[in-house]
Amino acid sequence: MIQEATTLLKENGLKITQNRLDVLCVFLGSEKAFTLLDLEKIFSLKHDRSSLFRSLQTYYEKGILEKFCNATGTAIYTLNRHKPDCNGKSHFKCKDCETVVSLPNLPTEYLQLLGNNKMETMNLLIEGTCENCQNKNPETL
Amino acid sequence: MIQEATTLLKENGLKITQNRLDVLCVFLGSEKAFTLLDLEKIFSLKHDRSSLFRSLQTYYEKGILEKFCNATGTAIYTLNRHKPDCNGKSHFKCKDCETVVSLPNLPTEYLQLLGNNKMETMNLLIEGTCENCQNKNPETL
DNA sequence: TTGCTTAATGCAATTTGGTTGCAAATATAC
DNA sequence: GTATATTTGCAACCAAATTGCATTAAGCAA
Ligand SMILES: [Mn+2]
Ligand SMILES: [Mn+2]
Ligand SMILES: [Zn+2]
Ligand SMILES: [Zn+2]
């Protein structure tokens, strides 16, 4: 996985640093979403918050990570798994296990409801409980 | 319009105060979205930020206003124009004039893509340029 | 391999948006 | 009008994001 991270960094013309490798491996090894605070906890001793922040920022700018806001307005990041033809960012995020799945484009019939309003960005976040977590917590909670 | 505001307050069992009337009238008189900061600017001398905040909060709890986050994670509010049967919050917001229009439910065929993942909340924000603003700024920008 | 140059990092400080405790002011019911 | 409960202003606080700057480290060239 560190190999994969190294390659990605090279492909994007980024210097290979411990911070960047560490951060990227978190994402490469998981389907989950992470906030800056999550990373701070993971790397509390090893890396400073500002450096983690700057790595997230860099990855976002390079399109390696996606960034969006949860219901409370906190930025959350996930590996960008969207197809290049994607017309925006659509995700389902499990409130329990934090797993994020990318969803396909909104149907064009729906977008036609915009009429002559021109779409530039679009962001859809559906939150709920994933199949796994529903089975884990049968009736409880 | 102050009449309309007064009625809304009464209907919701809220005391009629200058702050609440002022805030509500901002929304009743506009199709736009406003942040707390927007209101602070409008009422800089007349009302305190914390009171504006609490009014927004109250209106949101009563379902009079909608609250969602823009791309940068800042909370924005608009008059709630969604139908009661709405399965989530979908909006188009013009980046230029800030006008917000509510969009209908996502089509059920699309939601079926979630499979057994259970939706609890959903939030769609499409940003772009409204028809009006496109015509105002023909080729410029 | 060794320096040189530039970019990345750590640390501390700052900004921004959101939120709260509390005393004073105000709205409503009596 | 007065009593009571609510709302407000102010100041303080909090969380997340962001920045300036001196130090350190990565990559390249000698
Ligand atoms: Mn998290
Ligand atoms: Mn605004
Ligand atoms: Zn889950
Ligand atoms: Zn517009």
Side-chain angles (χ1 to χ4, degrees):
Chain A
M1 196 166 62
I2 201 158
Q3 191 46 251
E4 193 180 353
T6 306
T7 307
L8 251 175
L9 285 170
K10 279 183 188 156
E11 283 174 3
N12 285 274
L14 295 172
K15 286 192 179 167
I16 310 213
T17 69
Q18 199 56 55
N19 184 302
R20 286 181 178 161
L21 287 173
D22 286 346
V23 169
L24 193 45
C25 284
V26 166
F27 288 95
L28 291 172
S30 160
E31 311 265 308
K32 297 189 196 313
F34 297 91
T35 65
L36 176 56
L37 183 63
D38 290 332
L39 295 183
E40 270 186 83
K41 286 173 185 159
I42 297 174
F43 298 117
S44 49
L45 303 157
K46 199 170 181 190
H47 300 294
D48 185 76
R49 180 181 61 239
S50 64
S51 306
L52 297 169
F53 169 76
R54 284 187 269 231
S55 286
L56 290 172
Q57 190 172 242
T58 299
Y59 287 139
Y60 173 63
E61 284 162 2
K62 293 291 185 183
I64 295 168
L65 295 184
E66 293 189 86
K67 174 184 183 178
F68 46 98
C69 289
N70 64 17
T72 70
T74 308
I76 60 185
Y77 299 82
T78 56
L79 210 54
N80 186 350
R81 295 189 168 87
H82 277 105
K83 304 282 165 30
D85 76 327
C86 193
N87 67 7
K89 304 301 181 200
S90 308
H91 299 93
F92 173 82
K93 171 162 164 282
C94 176
K95 282 178 169 168
D96 192 345
C97 69
E98 307 263 301
T99 296
V100 168
V101 307
S102 293
L103 300 170
N105 281 347
L106 289 179
T108 45
E109 320 93 66
Y110 186 77
L111 294 177
Q112 281 163 4
L113 293 169
L114 292 174
N116 288 318
N117 297 323
K118 193 163 122 267
M119 173 169 89
E120 282 159 34
T121 66
M122 91 101 195
N123 211 298
L124 168 65
L125 181 59
I126 300 179
E127 293 186 275
T129 315
C130 78
E131 188 167 8
N132 254 329
C133 289
Q134 285 170 61
N135 297 331
K136 264 182 222 149
N137 318 332
E139 294 307 296
T140 68
L141 177 73
Chain B
M1 196 167 59
I2 203 160
Q3 192 45 251
E4 193 179 354
T6 307
T7 306
L8 251 176
L9 285 170
K10 280 184 187 157
E11 282 173 4
N12 284 274
L14 295 171
K15 285 193 178 166
I16 313 229
T17 68
Q18 198 56 56
N19 184 302
R20 286 180 178 161
L21 286 174
D22 286 346
V23 169
L24 193 44
C25 283
V26 165
F27 288 94
L28 291 174
S30 160
E31 312 265 306
K32 298 187 196 313
F34 297 91
T35 65
L36 176 57
L37 185 64
D38 290 332
L39 294 183
E40 270 186 84
K41 286 172 183 157
I42 297 174
F43 297 116
S44 51
L45 304 156
K46 197 170 181 193
H47 300 293
D48 185 76
R49 175 167 34 116
S50 65
S51 306
L52 296 169
F53 170 77
R54 284 188 269 232
S55 286
L56 289 172
Q57 190 172 245
T58 299
Y59 287 139
Y60 173 63
E61 285 162 3
K62 293 291 185 182
I64 295 168
L65 294 184
E66 294 190 84
K67 173 186 181 176
F68 46 99
C69 291
N70 65 15
T72 71
T74 309
I76 59 184
Y77 298 83
T78 55
L79 211 54
N80 186 350
R81 295 189 168 87
H82 276 103
K83 303 283 166 31
D85 76 324
C86 192
N87 67 7
K89 303 300 179 197
S90 308
H91 299 92
F92 173 83
K93 171 163 163 284
C94 176
K95 281 177 168 168
D96 191 344
C97 69
E98 308 263 301
T99 295
V100 168
V101 307
S102 294
L103 299 169
N105 282 347
L106 289 179
T108 46
E109 319 92 67
Y110 186 78
L111 294 177
Q112 282 162 6
L113 293 168
L114 292 174
N116 289 318
N117 298 323
K118 194 163 121 267
M119 173 170 90
E120 282 158 35
T121 64
M122 92 98 195
N123 210 298
L124 167 65
L125 181 60
I126 301 177
E127 293 186 273
T129 313
C130 78
E131 189 168 7
N132 253 328
C133 289
Q134 285 171 61
N135 297 332
K136 264 182 222 147
N137 317 330
E139 292 307 295
T140 67
L141 176 74

PDB file of all heavy atoms in Angstrom, chain A residues 80-89 103-106 108 111 119 122:
ATOM      1  N   ASN A  80     -11.126   9.736  -3.711  1.00  0.00           N
ATOM      2  CA  ASN A  80     -11.973  10.052  -4.858  1.00  0.00           C
ATOM      3  C   ASN A  80     -12.158   8.810  -5.721  1.00  0.00           C
ATOM      4  O   ASN A  80     -11.239   8.379  -6.412  1.00  0.00           O
ATOM      5  CB  ASN A  80     -11.339  11.169  -5.667  1.00  0.00           C
ATOM      6  CG  ASN A  80     -12.242  11.633  -6.785  1.00  0.00           C
ATOM      7  OD1 ASN A  80     -13.262  11.005  -7.076  1.00  0.00           O
ATOM      8  ND2 ASN A  80     -11.880  12.739  -7.386  1.00  0.00           N
ATOM      9  N   ARG A  81     -13.335   8.270  -5.647  1.00  0.00           N
ATOM     10  CA  ARG A  81     -13.631   7.072  -6.442  1.00  0.00           C
ATOM     11  C   ARG A  81     -14.626   7.373  -7.548  1.00  0.00           C
ATOM     12  O   ARG A  81     -15.189   6.475  -8.152  1.00  0.00           O
ATOM     13  CB  ARG A  81     -14.189   5.962  -5.542  1.00  0.00           C
ATOM     14  CG  ARG A  81     -13.199   5.435  -4.516  1.00  0.00           C
ATOM     15  CD  ARG A  81     -13.753   4.198  -3.810  1.00  0.00           C
ATOM     16  NE  ARG A  81     -12.719   3.523  -3.048  1.00  0.00           N
ATOM     17  CZ  ARG A  81     -12.385   3.826  -1.791  1.00  0.00           C
ATOM     18  NH1 ARG A  81     -13.035   4.783  -1.162  1.00  0.00           N
ATOM     19  NH2 ARG A  81     -11.423   3.174  -1.155  1.00  0.00           N
ATOM     20  N   HIS A  82     -14.869   8.646  -7.781  1.00  0.00           N
ATOM     21  CA  HIS A  82     -15.822   8.992  -8.826  1.00  0.00           C
ATOM     22  C   HIS A  82     -15.214   8.798 -10.204  1.00  0.00           C
ATOM     23  O   HIS A  82     -14.022   9.010 -10.414  1.00  0.00           O
ATOM     24  CB  HIS A  82     -16.285  10.439  -8.668  1.00  0.00           C
ATOM     25  CG  HIS A  82     -17.389  10.591  -7.665  1.00  0.00           C
ATOM     26  ND1 HIS A  82     -17.182  11.105  -6.416  1.00  0.00           N
ATOM     27  CD2 HIS A  82     -18.703  10.267  -7.721  1.00  0.00           C
ATOM     28  CE1 HIS A  82     -18.317  11.107  -5.750  1.00  0.00           C
ATOM     29  NE2 HIS A  82     -19.260  10.612  -6.514  1.00  0.00           N
ATOM     30  N   LYS A  83     -16.083   8.447 -11.112  1.00  0.00           N
ATOM     31  CA  LYS A  83     -15.685   8.374 -12.512  1.00  0.00           C
ATOM     32  C   LYS A  83     -15.358   9.775 -12.997  1.00  0.00           C
ATOM     33  O   LYS A  83     -15.954  10.748 -12.528  1.00  0.00           O
ATOM     34  CB  LYS A  83     -16.843   7.801 -13.364  1.00  0.00           C
ATOM     35  CG  LYS A  83     -17.335   6.448 -12.904  1.00  0.00           C
ATOM     36  CD  LYS A  83     -16.406   5.340 -13.361  1.00  0.00           C
ATOM     37  CE  LYS A  83     -16.650   4.025 -12.642  1.00  0.00           C
ATOM     38  NZ  LYS A  83     -18.025   3.775 -12.197  1.00  0.00           N
ATOM     39  N   PRO A  84     -14.464   9.859 -13.980  1.00  0.00           N
ATOM     40  CA  PRO A  84     -14.095  11.189 -14.478  1.00  0.00           C
ATOM     41  C   PRO A  84     -15.279  11.939 -15.098  1.00  0.00           C
ATOM     42  O   PRO A  84     -15.323  13.157 -15.073  1.00  0.00           O
ATOM     43  CB  PRO A  84     -13.035  10.893 -15.549  1.00  0.00           C
ATOM     44  CG  PRO A  84     -12.673   9.463 -15.416  1.00  0.00           C
ATOM     45  CD  PRO A  84     -13.743   8.779 -14.643  1.00  0.00           C
ATOM     46  N   ASP A  85     -16.231  11.203 -15.615  1.00  0.00           N
ATOM     47  CA  ASP A  85     -17.367  11.858 -16.276  1.00  0.00           C
ATOM     48  C   ASP A  85     -18.410  12.355 -15.283  1.00  0.00           C
ATOM     49  O   ASP A  85     -19.480  12.811 -15.663  1.00  0.00           O
ATOM     50  CB  ASP A  85     -18.045  10.887 -17.249  1.00  0.00           C
ATOM     51  CG  ASP A  85     -18.897   9.861 -16.513  1.00  0.00           C
ATOM     52  OD1 ASP A  85     -18.504   9.493 -15.376  1.00  0.00           O
ATOM     53  OD2 ASP A  85     -19.946   9.451 -17.045  1.00  0.00           O
ATOM     54  N   CYS A  86     -18.101  12.269 -14.037  1.00  0.00           N
ATOM     55  CA  CYS A  86     -19.100  12.549 -13.024  1.00  0.00           C
ATOM     56  C   CYS A  86     -19.471  14.020 -13.005  1.00  0.00           C
ATOM     57  O   CYS A  86     -18.598  14.883 -13.063  1.00  0.00           O
ATOM     58  CB  CYS A  86     -18.548  12.125 -11.681  1.00  0.00           C
ATOM     59  SG  CYS A  86     -19.803  12.070 -10.444  1.00  0.00           S
ATOM     60  N   ASN A  87     -20.734  14.296 -12.897  1.00  0.00           N
ATOM     61  CA  ASN A  87     -21.188  15.687 -12.968  1.00  0.00           C
ATOM     62  C   ASN A  87     -21.267  16.356 -11.607  1.00  0.00           C
ATOM     63  O   ASN A  87     -21.804  17.435 -11.472  1.00  0.00           O
ATOM     64  CB  ASN A  87     -22.534  15.774 -13.682  1.00  0.00           C
ATOM     65  CG  ASN A  87     -23.654  15.134 -12.899  1.00  0.00           C
ATOM     66  OD1 ASN A  87     -23.477  14.722 -11.752  1.00  0.00           O
ATOM     67  ND2 ASN A  87     -24.815  15.045 -13.496  1.00  0.00           N
ATOM     68  N   GLY A  88     -20.749  15.706 -10.608  1.00  0.00           N
ATOM     69  CA  GLY A  88     -20.796  16.287  -9.283  1.00  0.00           C
ATOM     70  C   GLY A  88     -20.433  15.229  -8.280  1.00  0.00           C
ATOM     71  O   GLY A  88     -19.990  14.146  -8.643  1.00  0.00           O
ATOM     72  N   LYS A  89     -20.609  15.535  -7.022  1.00  0.00           N
ATOM     73  CA  LYS A  89     -20.201  14.619  -5.976  1.00  0.00           C
ATOM     74  C   LYS A  89     -21.418  14.126  -5.212  1.00  0.00           C
ATOM     75  O   LYS A  89     -22.115  14.896  -4.572  1.00  0.00           O
ATOM     76  CB  LYS A  89     -19.249  15.338  -5.006  1.00  0.00           C
ATOM     77  CG  LYS A  89     -18.028  15.947  -5.676  1.00  0.00           C
ATOM     78  CD  LYS A  89     -17.195  14.900  -6.397  1.00  0.00           C
ATOM     79  CE  LYS A  89     -15.969  15.504  -7.053  1.00  0.00           C
ATOM     80  NZ  LYS A  89     -15.417  14.668  -8.111  1.00  0.00           N
ATOM     81  N   LEU A 103     -21.982   7.622  -5.232  1.00  0.00           N
ATOM     82  CA  LEU A 103     -23.186   7.324  -5.999  1.00  0.00           C
ATOM     83  C   LEU A 103     -23.035   7.881  -7.403  1.00  0.00           C
ATOM     84  O   LEU A 103     -22.288   8.843  -7.614  1.00  0.00           O
ATOM     85  CB  LEU A 103     -24.400   7.962  -5.322  1.00  0.00           C
ATOM     86  CG  LEU A 103     -24.681   7.488  -3.895  1.00  0.00           C
ATOM     87  CD1 LEU A 103     -25.754   8.350  -3.247  1.00  0.00           C
ATOM     88  CD2 LEU A 103     -25.123   6.017  -3.913  1.00  0.00           C
ATOM     89  N   PRO A 104     -23.750   7.292  -8.336  1.00  0.00           N
ATOM     90  CA  PRO A 104     -23.632   7.780  -9.718  1.00  0.00           C
ATOM     91  C   PRO A 104     -24.282   9.145  -9.907  1.00  0.00           C
ATOM     92  O   PRO A 104     -24.916   9.673  -8.994  1.00  0.00           O
ATOM     93  CB  PRO A 104     -24.349   6.708 -10.534  1.00  0.00           C
ATOM     94  CG  PRO A 104     -25.126   5.893  -9.585  1.00  0.00           C
ATOM     95  CD  PRO A 104     -24.591   6.106  -8.218  1.00  0.00           C
ATOM     96  N   ASN A 105     -24.129   9.669 -11.064  1.00  0.00           N
ATOM     97  CA  ASN A 105     -24.735  10.944 -11.431  1.00  0.00           C
ATOM     98  C   ASN A 105     -26.220  10.980 -11.152  1.00  0.00           C
ATOM     99  O   ASN A 105     -26.909   9.965 -11.282  1.00  0.00           O
ATOM    100  CB  ASN A 105     -24.569  11.171 -12.937  1.00  0.00           C
ATOM    101  CG  ASN A 105     -23.183  11.648 -13.291  1.00  0.00           C
ATOM    102  OD1 ASN A 105     -22.417  12.029 -12.417  1.00  0.00           O
ATOM    103  ND2 ASN A 105     -22.869  11.622 -14.574  1.00  0.00           N
ATOM    104  N   LEU A 106     -26.707  12.125 -10.832  1.00  0.00           N
ATOM    105  CA  LEU A 106     -28.148  12.302 -10.785  1.00  0.00           C
ATOM    106  C   LEU A 106     -28.702  12.111 -12.192  1.00  0.00           C
ATOM    107  O   LEU A 106     -28.051  12.476 -13.177  1.00  0.00           O
ATOM    108  CB  LEU A 106     -28.494  13.714 -10.303  1.00  0.00           C
ATOM    109  CG  LEU A 106     -28.221  14.002  -8.836  1.00  0.00           C
ATOM    110  CD1 LEU A 106     -28.596  15.442  -8.522  1.00  0.00           C
ATOM    111  CD2 LEU A 106     -29.019  13.064  -7.947  1.00  0.00           C
ATOM    112  N   THR A 108     -30.494  12.664 -15.644  1.00  0.00           N
ATOM    113  CA  THR A 108     -30.639  13.915 -16.393  1.00  0.00           C
ATOM    114  C   THR A 108     -32.060  14.465 -16.314  1.00  0.00           C
ATOM    115  O   THR A 108     -32.258  15.676 -16.309  1.00  0.00           O
ATOM    116  CB  THR A 108     -30.257  13.714 -17.872  1.00  0.00           C
ATOM    117  OG1 THR A 108     -30.848  12.507 -18.334  1.00  0.00           O
ATOM    118  CG2 THR A 108     -28.751  13.624 -18.020  1.00  0.00           C
ATOM    119  N   LEU A 111     -32.097  16.688 -13.452  1.00  0.00           N
ATOM    120  CA  LEU A 111     -31.352  17.927 -13.663  1.00  0.00           C
ATOM    121  C   LEU A 111     -32.092  18.884 -14.596  1.00  0.00           C
ATOM    122  O   LEU A 111     -31.868  20.091 -14.558  1.00  0.00           O
ATOM    123  CB  LEU A 111     -29.959  17.611 -14.210  1.00  0.00           C
ATOM    124  CG  LEU A 111     -29.084  16.850 -13.211  1.00  0.00           C
ATOM    125  CD1 LEU A 111     -27.735  16.505 -13.826  1.00  0.00           C
ATOM    126  CD2 LEU A 111     -28.882  17.669 -11.931  1.00  0.00           C
ATOM    127  N   MET A 119     -25.986  24.673 -13.836  1.00  0.00           N
ATOM    128  CA  MET A 119     -25.295  24.010 -12.745  1.00  0.00           C
ATOM    129  C   MET A 119     -23.788  24.145 -12.894  1.00  0.00           C
ATOM    130  O   MET A 119     -23.234  23.903 -13.957  1.00  0.00           O
ATOM    131  CB  MET A 119     -25.658  22.522 -12.734  1.00  0.00           C
ATOM    132  CG  MET A 119     -24.843  21.710 -11.738  1.00  0.00           C
ATOM    133  SD  MET A 119     -25.493  20.042 -11.504  1.00  0.00           S
ATOM    134  CE  MET A 119     -24.605  19.172 -12.779  1.00  0.00           C
ATOM    135  N   MET A 122     -22.269  20.484  -7.803  1.00  0.00           N
ATOM    136  CA  MET A 122     -23.383  19.860  -7.109  1.00  0.00           C
ATOM    137  C   MET A 122     -22.844  18.884  -6.078  1.00  0.00           C
ATOM    138  O   MET A 122     -21.797  18.274  -6.247  1.00  0.00           O
ATOM    139  CB  MET A 122     -24.326  19.198  -8.099  1.00  0.00           C
ATOM    140  CG  MET A 122     -24.027  17.775  -8.400  1.00  0.00           C
ATOM    141  SD  MET A 122     -25.169  16.759  -7.431  1.00  0.00           S
ATOM    142  CE  MET A 122     -24.361  15.185  -7.593  1.00  0.00           C
TER     143      MET A 122
END
